[in-house]
Amino acid sequence: MDKRRAIQIMTKAAELYRDNLEDQKILFLYGFPSDVKRDLLKDSKILSSIKGYEVAFHRYNFLHLTGVRLNKKETASAIHFYQKCIDKRLTEKDFSFAGDGSTGQKLDILEKMMLLKNNVTMIGEFTDRGPKLFSEKVAGNVCGCIGFVKDVNTSLNVPNTLLKKDIRDITAQPTCKVFAVMSKNYVSEKYSTFAKLDKSIDITQYYFSEEIESMIDRNNL
């Protein structure tokens, strides 16, 4: 992949990131299908087997997903890089590819993964079989996934890498199914919007754990 093509991809992906992820918090609701199925058959109507994992997407996180390295003489920071992408001012002098060849792989799926809220199917604990362990959890599908790590400054889970790998190959088995995805503006107090909800769950009939319910505004679902 040459830099001209890379710029085209990153510029389009930045627009998708701005429209779908920037300044948002996302709540993945997930579990093992067999356990959730058992909960659905109970009289209690409480899906206690479904767990939640919350992540936050900031402007400066976009750079990590591209896999490129900044030329600090041209582009001062991750936010500066992102803004250049949005403004369509990114040039070949602004960045370089990673020496290990990973940049091309990330860019191959970058645009699709900006639609994570809609196309995520699985989530799991990261167990990379390679030499580097750099994410705690990954969410995605059989084509690729985004890795997350806790930010030491904010204690929020944030994206730190993009991997062109089948999520089942790099997570502890069995990988959990994502049953629902909720999103909200970063400053909003509670979740009231489903980006994705499994057809097996009637949200008017079933409830989640107390912890998850405390994060949801049921009156405005």
Side-chain angles (χ1 to χ4, degrees):
M1 181 179 294
D2 60 29
K3 283 193 170 184
R4 182 179 299 179
R5 177 58 182 149
I7 290 173
Q8 292 175 342
I9 292 172
M10 292 189 292
T11 298
K12 177 60 177 177
E15 293 177 347
L16 292 170
Y17 187 91
R18 177 196 62 198
D19 296 340
N20 294 282
L21 298 171
E22 181 187 332
D23 289 337
Q24 289 190 28
K25 286 184 178 180
I26 293 175
L27 179 63
F28 298 109
L29 300 178
Y30 65 96
F32 296 119
S34 59
D35 294 340
V36 175
K37 184 178 181 179
R38 190 159 49 244
D39 279 350
L40 288 168
L41 296 174
K42 291 180 179 178
D43 294 331
S44 66
K45 302 298 183 181
I46 297 176
L47 305 178
S48 57
S49 60
I50 288 185
K51 298 179 175 60
Y53 183 72
E54 186 178 44
V55 300
F57 289 85
H58 305 286
R59 288 184 296 163
Y60 58 81
N61 296 131
F62 177 74
L63 172 64
H64 297 301
L65 304 179
T66 66
V68 303
R69 304 291 184 264
L70 291 186
N71 177 356
K72 292 297 182 65
K73 293 181 180 179
E74 302 290 336
T75 308
S77 66
I79 292 179
H80 189 198
F81 170 82
Y82 177 63
Q83 196 60 50
K84 279 190 172 184
C85 289
I86 293 294
D87 295 338
K88 296 181 172 59
R89 294 188 295 107
L90 193 68
T91 70
E92 296 182 16
K93 294 181 180 180
D94 290 323
F95 64 94
S96 60
F97 293 154
D100 60 4
S102 62
T103 303
Q105 293 182 337
K106 295 178 191 297
L107 295 181
D108 281 344
I109 60 169
L110 182 62
E111 291 180 52
K112 290 182 179 179
M113 296 311 294
M114 297 302 93
L115 304 175
L116 182 70
K117 288 187 295 187
N118 302 109
N119 61 30
V120 61
T121 59
M122 291 171 279
I123 190 170
E125 301 297 324
F126 187 55
T127 58
D128 185 21
R129 295 168 187 169
K132 297 178 181 178
L133 181 65
F134 45 80
S135 292
E136 297 167 358
K137 223 175 189 74
V138 288
N141 50 50
V142 296
C143 298
C145 46
I146 293 180
F148 297 94
V149 66
K150 181 164 288 188
D151 187 306
V152 294
N153 296 315
T154 64
S155 293
L156 296 172
N157 299 309
V158 295
N160 74 328
T161 192
L162 181 65
L163 300 167
K164 187 182 179 181
K165 292 185 177 181
D166 185 332
I167 189 173
R168 296 170 297 181
D169 293 335
I170 56 172
T171 51
Q173 295 298 315
T175 306
C176 291
K177 176 181 176 178
V178 173
F179 283 86
V181 179
M182 304 192 75
S183 64
K184 67 175 183 176
N185 185 278
Y186 185 82
V187 296
S188 297
E189 184 178 354
K190 293 192 175 186
Y191 290 91
S192 60
T193 302
F194 280 99
K196 181 176 184 175
L197 179 62
D198 193 84
K199 61 182 180 181
S200 66
I201 299 175
D202 182 346
I203 198 63
T204 66
Q205 298 293 321
Y206 292 95
Y207 296 84
F208 304 108
S209 67
E210 282 189 31
E211 181 181 2
I212 294 174
E213 288 292 331
S214 69
M215 303 170 72
I216 297 175
D217 180 3
R218 278 205 168 252
N219 293 327
N220 290 298
L221 286 179

